[in-house]
Amino acid sequence: DGGITQSPKYLFRKEGQNVTLSCEQNLNHDAMYWYRQDPGQGLRLIYYSQIVNDFQKGDIAEGYSVSREKKESFPLTVTSAQKNPTAFYLCASSIGGQGLETQYFGPGTRLLVL
Amino acid sequence: AQSVAQPEDQVNVAEGNPLTVKCTYSVSGNPYLFWYVQYPNRGLQFLLKYITGDNLVKGSYGFEAEFNKSQTSFHLKKPSALVSDSALYFCAVRDIRKTGRRALTFGSGTRLQVQP
């Protein structure tokens, strides 16, 4: 899993609650990514950031928000607008943001709804 | 749009036999292609990638993949499977011409089961 840490490992969300997933990297990578993994659907891109203070929506950004105030950190907030948040969330980073660089993944956070 | 298909949900192979995990892609230009592996409850690990050059790409743990432009495929292969190769394998693509979205599109994954 390289130099990327995600916390917590498991997260429980109550109805109507916003929760934030942490992602930190010490690889000095410019680009960072958030993916959602559901069984049989592979990875779907939520948001990505090519550089500090900039980020773009991926395929399934609705109900999620991100920030990129520091190079090392790319937290993901799952808002109450996300009606089906139960999934495995993976953060990744790459040295550049052109899409051809190798991505390094964190160990993931499993989000469950109470 | 860029897309990638992994037609097999699961591949079963006996230890010591060769293995193939299939991947086909669709892009408007030339592709960048990747294979990643995921062990249970873990993040993905990079195996290999094709950017340009030789169509046969060699990667980690004895895996290799062949880029076939006419068949738009990038199948993952290994001459002799190990039980420890059992995992979930993902193919991913990025269209070289795409200037907007600079991110990969992943396939749905193929579970490889190697029997002892």
Side-chain angles (χ1 to χ4, degrees):
Chain A
D1 298 324
I4 301 181
T5 57
Q6 291 185 242
S7 62
K9 188 172 181 178
Y10 295 96
L11 185 57
F12 298 91
R13 194 190 90 162
K14 295 179 181 178
E15 193 81 28
Q17 186 181 37
N18 292 354
V19 293
T20 298
L21 285 62
S22 169
C23 178
E24 303 277 331
Q25 54 101 357
N26 63 3
L27 301 169
N28 200 33
H29 285 172
D30 285 317
M32 297 186 74
Y33 311 81
W34 273 107
Y35 295 92
R36 171 177 169 144
Q37 185 175 17
D38 296 282
Q41 295 195 42
L43 274 68
R44 292 184 289 169
L45 183 66
I46 304 173
Y47 270 97
Y48 66 106
S49 167
Q50 292 176 281
I51 200 166
V52 175
N53 292 322
D54 185 51
F55 49 84
Q56 287 82 40
K57 293 182 179 180
D59 298 316
I60 54 166
E62 186 175 349
Y64 300 96
S65 65
V66 293
S67 63
R68 187 85 188 276
E69 297 177 1
K70 298 186 298 181
K71 190 175 187 177
E72 316 81 66
S73 178
F74 191 41
L76 174 74
T77 296
V78 184
T79 74
S80 57
Q82 173 49 245
K83 298 306 179 188
N84 184 24
T86 298
F88 190 50
Y89 290 86
L90 287 163
C91 178
S93 71
S94 63
I95 194 166
Q98 299 304 312
L100 54 82
E101 305 87 356
T102 298
Q103 292 187 22
Y104 294 85
F105 285 78
T109 292
R110 191 166 297 280
L111 178 60
L112 300 164
V113 177
L114 293 177
Chain B
Q2 59 192 37
S3 66
V4 61
Q6 294 181 242
E8 302 156 316
D9 290 336
Q10 181 156 327
V11 170
N12 297 309
V13 64
E15 188 174 31
N17 283 1
L19 69 88
T20 299
V21 182
K22 296 179 180 177
C23 171
T24 58
Y25 66 89
S26 175
V27 296
S28 55
N30 290 322
Y32 297 134
L33 292 155
F34 297 77
W35 275 103
Y36 285 83
V37 60
Q38 184 181 33
Y39 297 99
N41 297 311
R42 302 288 299 277
L44 277 66
Q45 296 176 27
F46 170 75
L47 277 179
L48 51 82
K49 67 181 177 183
Y50 172 81
I51 302 297
T52 187
D54 195 346
N55 289 343
L56 184 63
V57 180
K58 293 189 183 296
S60 306
Y61 313 120
F63 284 94
E64 58 188 28
E66 185 168 10
F67 172 62
N68 188 319
K69 189 171 183 178
S70 62
Q71 296 185 8
T72 62
S73 67
F74 190 57
H75 301 332
L76 181 71
K77 299 182 180 184
K78 187 174 182 181
S80 179
L82 299 172
V83 173
S84 57
D85 292 330
S86 299
L88 189 57
Y89 290 80
F90 289 97
C91 184
V93 68
R94 152 100 157 95
D95 187 336
I96 192 173
R97 291 188 187 178
K98 202 161 187 70
T99 56
R101 169 187 161 135
R102 297 181 179 184
L104 295 175
T105 296
F106 283 83
S108 56
T110 298
R111 187 164 302 281
L112 174 66
Q113 195 70 40
V114 181
Q115 284 105 20

